[in-house]
Amino acid sequence: HMTQRRPLIAGNWKMNLTLDQGVSLVREVAGGIQGLEGVDILVCPPFTALIHIRGALENTPIHLGAQNMHWESSGAFTGEVSGNMLLEVGCSHVILGHSERRLLFGETDELIDRKVSSATDLGLTPILCVGETLEQRESGQTFEVLSDQLEGSLDHALRAGSLAPALIIAYEPVWAIGTGKTATPDQAQEAHSFIRQWIAGHFDEGRAESLRILYGGSVKPENIASLMSQDDIDGALVGGASLKADSFLGIIRNSKQ
């Protein structure tokens, strides 16, 4: 790489684990990474667990993130959580536009763009997720879908002409999430390379070069090394395998080039 991009392994717990399970998971992970350098680690628990997990992460290098947020800072938004609230409990990152939010909860690019913009303004690091469905891939629309999602979800940034230095993108082929199907390293690299070129074309080369692009979709200790060996894959957004310390640690250890 021209720029050495630091690998990031992020665990998205989704709607799983009790408080006790979450705390013991991060303690085990923290114990297992002692002395390990050169890789950033992030866990994204449910909202109700954030404050407890923050306590368990004291004096560890593990970062805390949330799985979603609202774009307004406060107000009459029953059931929602703002970026300010996330900062207050110690979050540094937030996952935005996850395919489950897009598909199951009807989140549009426009809405995700507002969230990305709000997170950026607050100093939270957004992990913006993009990716195509099986149907879209099979009809040859992968690049078109990625381009549309990037354009819509980064509209504020495009109009401002600058992409937040901290922003991270995650490529998640929807057909590989929780299905046990993984994109081949070549398929993943092709999409990551497309995303990096898109950023270079719409912002600038330097920003594209420093951008971390994570792969998400049935990542396991067995396939992370072959994914990470690709030029444009800078880490992983891990679902199911982040819920068990041994598999999450296996992914972290095997991600090191």
Side-chain angles (χ1 to χ4, degrees):
H1 300 313
M2 274 162 51
T3 308
Q4 203 42 58
R5 294 183 292 269
R6 202 175 148 84
L8 170 63
I9 303 297
N12 175 14
W13 295 5
K14 305 189 180 180
M15 198 172 73
N16 293 296
L17 304 181
T18 64
L19 293 179
D20 287 349
Q21 287 170 336
V23 167
S24 62
L25 171 60
V26 296
R27 289 201 173 132
E28 215 176 318
V29 171
I33 59 167
Q34 284 181 346
L36 187 76
E37 299 284 310
V39 53
D40 290 336
I41 302 157
L42 171 70
V43 291
C44 300
F47 293 131
T48 50
L50 288 170
I51 196 99
H52 288 267
I53 300 302
R54 178 202 183 164
L57 294 179
E58 294 281 344
N59 307 316
T60 77
I62 303 170
H63 300 277
L64 184 67
Q67 298 172 20
N68 188 23
M69 60 173 255
H70 195 274
W71 61 87
E72 295 286 0
S73 54
S74 66
F77 303 103
T78 300
E80 292 290 322
V81 171
S82 75
N84 290 327
M85 294 170 181
L86 298 182
L87 287 170
E88 199 179 13
V89 294
C91 289
S92 52
H93 295 65
V94 58
I95 299 170
L96 297 173
H98 190 280
S99 61
E100 287 154 9
R101 299 298 320 167
R102 291 174 183 269
L103 296 167
L104 301 176
F105 303 101
E107 292 198 7
T108 60
D109 287 330
E110 182 191 6
L111 193 145
I112 293 158
D113 173 52
R114 285 188 199 169
K115 294 182 181 196
V116 170
S117 175
S118 170
T120 301
D121 290 346
L122 291 168
L124 277 165
T125 296
I127 299 178
L128 169 64
C129 302
V130 294
E132 81 285 8
T133 63
L134 186 58
E135 194 181 8
Q136 289 166 335
R137 173 163 280 266
E138 286 178 342
S139 59
Q141 293 175 291
T142 297
F143 293 159
E144 194 183 328
V145 170
L146 291 177
S147 180
D148 286 349
Q149 287 179 346
L150 289 165
E151 200 168 316
S153 307
L154 291 173
D155 185 54
H156 274 80
L158 285 165
R159 280 183 294 170
S162 74
L163 193 61
L167 179 121
I168 294 164
I169 292 179
Y171 167 63
E172 335 170 274
V174 179
W175 48 274
I177 297 177
T179 58
K181 286 183 187 176
T182 313
T184 65
D186 287 348
Q187 284 174 320
Q189 166 57 22
E190 188 185 34
H192 281 236
S193 170
F194 174 84
I195 292 166
R196 199 175 304 286
Q197 287 166 13
W198 190 95
I199 295 293
H202 289 78
F203 295 96
D204 62 85
E205 286 284 349
R207 184 62 192 93
E209 194 57 41
S210 65
L211 175 72
R212 292 199 282 186
I213 310 175
L214 312 181
Y215 170 77
S218 301
V219 177
K220 305 182 252 310
E222 299 74 39
N223 61 26
I224 185 69
S226 60
L227 288 161
M228 292 293 292
S229 67
Q230 303 292 321
D231 274 354
D232 291 297
I233 301 181
D234 306 312
L237 183 57
V238 185
S242 73
L243 300 174
K244 295 195 179 73
D246 56 354
S247 56
F248 195 50
L249 282 165
I251 291 168
I252 293 165
R253 292 193 188 112
N254 295 349
S255 71
K256 300 245 324 159
Q257 288 303 293

